[in-house]
Amino acid sequence: MAESGQHTRRCGYVAIVGRPNVGKSTLLNHLLGQKISITSRKPQTTRHQVVGIKTTTDYQVVFVDTPGLHSREPRAINRYMNRAASNAMADVDAVLMVLDRTSWNDEDQMVLQQVQRCGVPTILVVNKIDLLTDKTMLLPHLEFLSSQGNFAAVVPVSALQNQAVSSLEHELVKLLPMADFFFPEEQITDRSQRFLAAELVREKITRQLGDELPYAVAVEIEEFKTLDKVIHISALILVERSGQKKILIGSGGSRLKSIGSEARRDMEKLFDQKVMLRLWIKIRSGWSDDERALRSLGYNDV
Ligand code: GDP
Ligand code: MG
C-alpha cells in the first residue's frame, strides 16, 4: 500500500445547469475542448447521462449532463429536478449555473432554488457577454446577481468566443476535493466509442422517425474496428415488429440510407476519422427482456 492518504491533485464531479438556450452545451464543449455530449430534441433519447472528462496534470473534472434541464416546459424541469436532485445534482462536488447575460427570470430562480437545496457549491456563470453593448452596466448587474444566492463565485464569460472560460475553469477547480483521478488520463468520456456510435444511430432514428417508432428501437454495435485509418462500424438495429422494420427501411431503402449517412457524418466529426458504417435491422420481439441485449446496450450499470 503506497497510498499515504496525501493527495496532490484535485478531482470531482460537476453539473452544468440552467434554463434552455443559455449556452450550457457550448460552454461544456469549450471547457472540454471537443464535442462530446450528444443531444437530441427528444428528451427520451438520452437514456444515459452523457459525461465529459477534462484532465490536466493537476486536476480532473468530470462533467455530468442534466438532460431534463434542457426541457422547455417549466413544470417538466421541476419534475425532473425533484427526481434528479437525489442523483445527478446531489452527487456532484460543484455546480455551474449558467445565465444568458444579466437577465434573471422565474425559470432561473427555480433552477437556483433546486441547486441551493442540494447545498453544493455553485458558480454563477454570466454567459454571452460578447452580446452586451453597454459594458459599464455589467458591474452593477453582477452585484445584483451575486445577491440572488449564495455563490462561490460569479464569473462573466463568452462561451462562444472562448472569453474568460479559463478563469471560470480556475475558479471551478478550487471547489474540487483533493483526490485521486477517477478515470484514466487519456479518457475523455466514460462511454466507449462503441457506445457513442450506438447513441448516434439511435439519435438519428429518433429524429427522423420519432413519432412513428416510439421507443421500440435499440441499437447494438456488432463490429467496431480500425483498418487503414478507417473505422468500420456495423450496427444492428433491433425492432419489435415487422411493421417497424418496414418504416425504418423506407421506400426503396431511402430512410435507412439517410439515417446511416447522417450518423456516419456525426461519427466522423466525433472520432475525427473516416467511418464506414453498415446498418442492419433485425426483429427481436421483447428485446428489452433479453439480458444480453440489455448489457450490450449499456444498461448493466443501472
Ligand atoms: P443550452 O441549451 O443551454 O445547451 O445552449 P446552447 O449551448 O445550445 O446555446 C444556445 C445558443 O446560444 C446557440 O445558438 C449558441 O451558439 C448561443 N451561444 C452560446 N454561448 C454563447 C455566447 O457566449 N455568446 C453568444 N453570442 N452566443 C452564445
Ligand atoms: Mg444543450
Side-chain angles (χ1 to χ4, degrees):
M1 290 240 290
E3 183 56 57
S4 67
Q6 285 279 41
H7 298 290
T8 55
R9 308 193 285 191
R10 291 180 187 273
C11 183
Y13 286 91
V14 173
I16 302 181
V17 304
R19 62 182 160 86
N21 264 320
V22 292
K24 297 178 295 294
S25 302
T26 311
L27 180 65
L28 176 66
N29 292 335
H30 274 99
L31 284 164
L32 291 171
Q34 148 172 33
K35 182 179 188 273
I36 295 296
S37 54
I38 294 169
T39 55
S40 167
R41 284 166 298 159
K42 302 239 173 221
Q44 293 89 342
T45 57
T46 311
R47 284 180 186 166
H48 307 267
Q49 213 161 276
V50 179
V51 177
I53 304 170
K54 170 74 176 271
T55 304
T56 70
T57 46
D58 302 323
Y59 57 85
Q60 182 171 72
V61 191
V62 184
F63 291 101
V64 184
D65 200 13
T66 48
L69 285 177
H70 302 175
S71 162
R72 290 188 181 277
E73 197 217 327
R75 267 173 307 150
I77 293 182
N78 243 341
R79 266 203 310 275
Y80 171 79
M81 291 299 296
N82 290 333
R83 235 181 324 120
S86 56
N87 42 61
M89 286 252 274
D91 283 346
V92 298
D93 300 291
V95 169
L96 297 179
M97 180 176 165
V98 185
L99 295 183
D100 185 338
R101 285 159 280 177
T102 52
S103 72
W104 181 266
N105 64 22
D106 288 353
E107 244 180 306
D108 297 310
Q109 186 65 44
M110 206 163 61
V111 173
L112 178 68
Q113 257 171 28
Q114 298 285 354
V115 168
Q116 306 238 289
R117 195 174 295 163
C118 296
V120 179
T122 303
I123 294 178
L124 192 62
V125 183
V126 181
N127 190 29
K128 307 194 188 184
I129 52 160
D130 56 293
L131 294 176
L132 286 179
T133 42
D134 186 1
K135 302 268 200 268
T136 60
M137 288 311 289
L138 187 58
L139 202 59
H141 275 306
L142 291 181
E143 274 164 15
F144 164 77
L145 292 172
S146 304
S147 69
Q148 296 301 300
N150 182 16
F151 301 110
V154 180
V155 186
V157 302
S158 167
L160 194 66
Q161 300 190 351
N162 212 7
Q163 280 174 38
V165 174
S166 56
S167 326
L168 171 64
E169 196 170 330
H170 183 77
E171 291 298 324
L172 176 61
V173 170
K174 285 197 243 168
L175 301 178
L176 303 183
M178 303 297 291
D180 283 333
F181 288 178
F182 302 146
F183 296 95
E185 304 189 13
E186 69 284 356
Q187 205 166 330
I188 48 169
T189 165
D190 76 336
R191 301 298 179 186
S192 66
Q193 290 193 323
R194 288 174 88 100
F195 170 83
L196 293 171
E199 279 292 282
L200 279 173
V201 173
R202 214 157 57 78
E203 180 197 68
K204 299 310 169 199
I205 294 170
T206 313
R207 278 207 179 166
Q208 294 198 24
L209 297 164
D211 298 332
E212 291 166 81
L213 283 185
Y215 326 120
V217 172
V219 178
E220 202 173 297
I221 301 297
E222 299 232 293
E223 181 188 51
F224 192 111
K225 64 172 184 226
T226 307
L227 273 180
D228 298 327
K229 294 188 178 151
V230 177
I231 309 177
H232 294 255
I233 301 171
S234 186
L236 182 62
I237 302 170
L238 297 172
V239 296
E240 289 178 327
R241 287 187 297 277
S242 62
Q244 295 166 339
K245 180 172 174 175
K246 238 163 125 183
I247 294 171
L248 256 177
I249 292 172
S251 82
S254 59
R255 178 58 70 190
L256 192 63
K257 210 167 154 184
S258 133
I259 288 167
S261 60
E262 274 194 20
R264 180 184 50 78
R265 222 174 304 138
D266 276 15
M267 287 174 193
E268 290 184 336
K269 255 192 264 165
L270 186 65
F271 302 142
D272 199 19
Q273 230 171 324
K274 206 169 155 39
V275 169
M276 283 271 293
L277 175 65
R278 290 210 291 176
L279 298 179
W280 308 89
I281 305 176
K282 225 185 208 169
I283 302 163
R284 189 188 288 172
S285 56
W287 60 262
S288 58
D289 296 330
D290 184 323
E291 219 189 289
R292 191 187 73 86
L294 281 179
R295 256 205 314 279
S296 65
L297 296 168
Y299 286 90
N300 51 331
D301 53 351
V302 285

